[in-house]
Amino acid sequence: MRSIWKGAISFGLVTIPVKLYSATEQKDVSFHQVHRADGGRIRYKRVCTQDGEEVPYADIAKGYELASGEMVVLTDEDFEDLPLSTSRRIDVLQFTPAEQIDPIYFAKSYYLEPDAQGAKPYVLLRNALESSGQVAVVKVALRQRESLATLRVRDGVFVLETMLWPDEIRTPDFAFLEEDIEVRAQELKMAESLITTMESDFDPAEYHDTYREALQQVIEAKVAGKEVIPAREEEEAGPAVDLMAALRASVEAAKRERGGGEPARPKKAAGKPAKDAKESKESKESKDEEKAAPKRKTRKSA
């Protein structure tokens, strides 16, 4: 990994020099836009809508469009006096229980590595934070943007998770929230049963990106000159007409999938009149005697 930022954690009067690394990467198949006929790359030019001329990158400024359609042009000098910290500090503001922070605020994760001279205070703060069971709320300026963030410990390393500001979180405004939707006690109980049946410890290694894998196979087949056979699409189930029946069927399917045993097979088999009709009267009596014999023997021995 290559560091993308250098700075320091400021914790009271303690300063811990650190390097910042992206903790995540998106594994996606990237494409170029090409001419369908010959595969030639498509290039784009920066053209001014006013005079139709191509504009060099050095002559491009930032513009803010007003509601009237007018454009306010901002230069580099306009940004220089803004109160954006350039001290490259991660300022610890407070410590708080992690469960008090809604995950919707989290934006991006970074690893922090200490410089050689900062290793001891880094480990000291890491151990203290880990034993406290809390996270540090910090403020940091990255990529021309000031952000709140949290510091937590993962696998012995500080993870800096930048956060969105409260006014960046949208309020859900949906019509159904105003409706008086009745949920029956039996339906709630069945839904809770389904949740209980599907409970399991989370292991991210169990999941993988099936779409990306299939897309990679298509590309490899194209390279090899093979015929690409599309995968069979699974039929999507429509909305449930009988909610209780759908929930019950979901519980039974979840039990089978998790090896919980197939539900009540003997009872279903015993209740089939067609099967009973095929058995002769003598056969039934014989079976009844065989089943009854061990019970009488057990009562005598008791």
Side-chain angles (χ1 to χ4, degrees):
M1 290 189 294
R2 187 178 65 179
S3 65
I4 59 175
W5 183 88
K6 289 185 179 181
I9 301 173
S10 179
F11 173 46
L13 298 178
V14 178
T15 300
I16 309 171
V18 292
K19 297 177 184 177
L20 188 85
Y21 301 82
S22 290
T24 60
E25 59 178 338
Q26 281 199 298
K27 300 276 189 169
D28 201 0
V29 180
S30 59
F31 294 99
H32 296 294
Q33 288 190 322
V34 298
H35 187 195
R36 188 187 300 274
D38 54 21
R41 291 277 300 275
I42 303 298
R43 301 292 186 185
Y44 291 93
K45 295 181 179 181
R46 295 178 291 272
V47 177
C48 176
T49 58
Q50 297 292 334
D51 57 21
E53 296 293 327
E54 186 174 358
V55 181
Y57 189 79
D59 292 340
I60 295 179
K62 291 182 172 66
Y64 182 84
E65 186 174 4
L66 302 177
S68 62
E70 296 176 289
M71 194 71 67
V72 178
V73 179
L74 301 175
T75 64
D76 293 340
E77 290 75 19
D78 294 321
F79 290 93
E80 288 178 357
D81 296 330
L82 295 179
L84 182 65
S85 174
T86 58
S87 62
R88 290 184 172 267
R89 283 206 319 260
I90 300 171
D91 292 315
V92 177
L93 306 177
Q94 68 179 73
F95 295 91
T96 191
E99 59 269 17
Q100 290 186 6
I101 303 176
D102 191 326
I104 198 172
Y105 284 99
F106 295 129
K108 187 169 175 57
S109 301
Y110 300 90
Y111 289 134
L112 294 179
E113 177 194 26
D115 279 352
Q117 64 268 32
K120 183 173 182 179
Y122 181 102
V123 171
L124 175 63
L125 178 58
R126 180 200 67 187
N127 292 353
L129 186 62
E130 198 166 26
S131 64
S132 73
Q134 301 192 79
V135 297
V137 178
V138 304
K139 185 181 283 189
V140 61
L142 293 172
R143 304 181 188 278
Q144 295 298 308
R145 174 183 168 91
E146 187 175 66
S147 299
L148 275 180
T150 61
L151 274 183
R152 63 181 180 88
V153 182
R154 183 180 188 271
D155 296 334
V157 176
F158 274 131
V159 175
L160 177 79
E161 292 186 289
T162 56
M163 299 168 62
L164 301 171
W165 295 102
D167 61 355
E168 294 178 309
I169 306 298
R170 294 176 174 175
T171 301
D173 184 17
F174 304 119
F176 83 94
L177 294 173
E178 304 298 327
E179 298 175 10
D180 185 16
I181 301 174
E182 183 182 357
V183 176
R184 293 185 298 164
Q186 302 96 314
E187 294 170 339
L188 180 60
K189 187 176 180 180
M190 188 61 69
E192 291 171 346
S193 176
L194 176 57
I195 291 173
T196 302
T197 304
M198 297 179 69
E199 278 181 358
S200 180
D201 292 332
F202 177 62
D203 180 5
E206 294 180 358
Y207 304 94
H208 54 98
D209 189 345
T210 54
Y211 175 80
R212 176 161 54 92
E213 291 173 356
L215 181 57
Q216 196 65 52
Q217 290 176 0
V218 169
I219 294 172
E220 291 171 0
K222 284 274 189 180
V223 172
K226 299 177 182 177
E227 181 184 358
V228 179
I229 302 174
R232 182 184 299 176
E233 292 185 4
E234 296 183 4
E235 294 184 4
E236 292 187 7
V241 178
D242 187 336
L243 186 56
M244 274 296 291
L247 287 169
R248 188 177 292 108
S250 299
V251 171
E252 302 296 341
K255 285 181 179 178
R256 288 194 297 271
E257 186 176 340
R258 291 179 173 268
E262 303 221 353
R265 274 187 176 175
K267 291 182 181 178
K268 289 182 179 179
K272 289 182 180 178
K275 187 174 181 180
D276 294 342
K278 291 180 181 179
E279 295 182 357
S280 64
K281 185 176 180 181
E282 294 81 10
S283 160
K284 286 185 178 180
E285 291 174 353
S286 175
K287 287 183 179 180
D288 291 339
E289 288 175 2
E290 289 176 3
K291 290 180 180 178
K295 293 181 181 177
R296 287 195 296 271
K297 188 181 254 184
T298 303
R299 284 197 294 270
K300 285 179 181 178
S301 61

